[in-house]
Amino acid sequence: MFIAILGVIVLVVGIVLKRSPEPAGRFSGTASVIGLVIVAVGLLLSIFKVIEPGKVGVQTLFGKVQDHVLESGLHIINPLVDITTFDIQTQTYTMSAVSNEGQKEGDDAIRVLSSDGLEVTIDLSVLYKVSADRAPFILQNIGVDYLDKIVRPVSRTAIRDNAVNYAAVDLYSTKRQEFQDKINRYITANFAKRGLELQQILVRNITLPASVRASIESKINAEQDAQKMQFVLQKERQEAERKRVEAQGIADYQKILSTGLSDKQLQYEAIKAQKEIALSPNAKVIIIGGKGNPIMLSDK
């Protein structure tokens, strides 16, 4: 539209030159032609509007927002209409304690008080997008700076309002998922009222006070020591059970020998043993015991 306005200015200059005395008057025709050409080109460029992929256009005519949304592609529009584009792709807004990691410079983490009065630092990332059909509503009621007006304050308020219901240790461990689900529902409802669509909430990091972290580490170490001791005790019980079974087996064996073997059988076993010794090539002296005096035999 700026080009068309420039053409009008050149055309007006041509008309003024036409009424001027020579030699300026001789350029009036040329200026008028150039002005008309510029106006025509400007109008053509203003009529055709290309919306880039992943964006939508909202039309404004004399300050009034039009309800019709221009999707990505080529459109023929009223040259007097202003077009405001909105990105409808997924966007990420990060609030982190690490400098230059989020959209804000410096430490932008959220600091809240837990139910037990401890200060907890939370890093958060919000994945969201603009609802294409609600883009005119956003332009009319919020404006293009919806990030600072809606996304940031709503997300930080959700964290603070829900964190006060949890103890610091619970936020860090057992109740972390429950906490994340609550703020997800809170932000989803608030975004939907304002033409935004929440994709996902990422609680990236929860930092506890140093004293609490030390207490947690001490508790973990104590639990590990207790588990180790349980393992040692179980091993000792198993060893004691093994020895008991072994002793019982020996006792049972001795009982069987004492009650199941007769004198005749023992004498027979002794003779067999002595016979095997006598047949051995290493045997030089054989002692045979009996009821009387022992007899000693020698191969010499």
Side-chain angles (χ1 to χ4, degrees), residues 55 99 103 109 121 128 134 145 173 198 206 266:
K55 297 183 179 180
S99 179
Q103 278 73 2
T121 303
Y128 70 98
R134 300 292 302 280
D145 54 345
S173 55
L198 180 66
I206 297 179
L266 290 173

Side-chain angles (χ1 to χ4, degrees), residues 106-171:
D107 186 352
D108 192 37
I110 306 168
R111 286 170 173 78
V112 298
L113 288 179
S114 60
S115 62
D116 47 359
L118 296 174
E119 184 180 74
V120 180
T121 303
I122 300 176
D123 290 358
L124 182 72
S125 287
V126 183
L127 280 67
Y128 70 98
K129 62 182 294 188
V130 173
S131 298
D133 58 340
R134 300 292 302 280
F137 172 85
I138 295 175
L139 182 61
Q140 178 71 43
N141 297 278
I142 301 171
V144 295
D145 54 345
Y146 52 85
L147 184 62
D148 292 329
K149 289 183 178 179
I150 302 300
V151 176
R152 177 180 172 83
V154 168
S155 301
R156 298 178 77 90
T157 301
I159 293 291
R160 292 192 176 99
D161 288 351
N162 287 278
V164 296
N165 299 318
Y166 296 91
V169 175
D170 292 340
L171 282 176

Side-chain angles (χ1 to χ4, degrees), residues 22 24 88-89 274 286:
E22 295 294 338
I88 59 172
Q89 295 177 331
Q274 293 166 358
I286 303 174

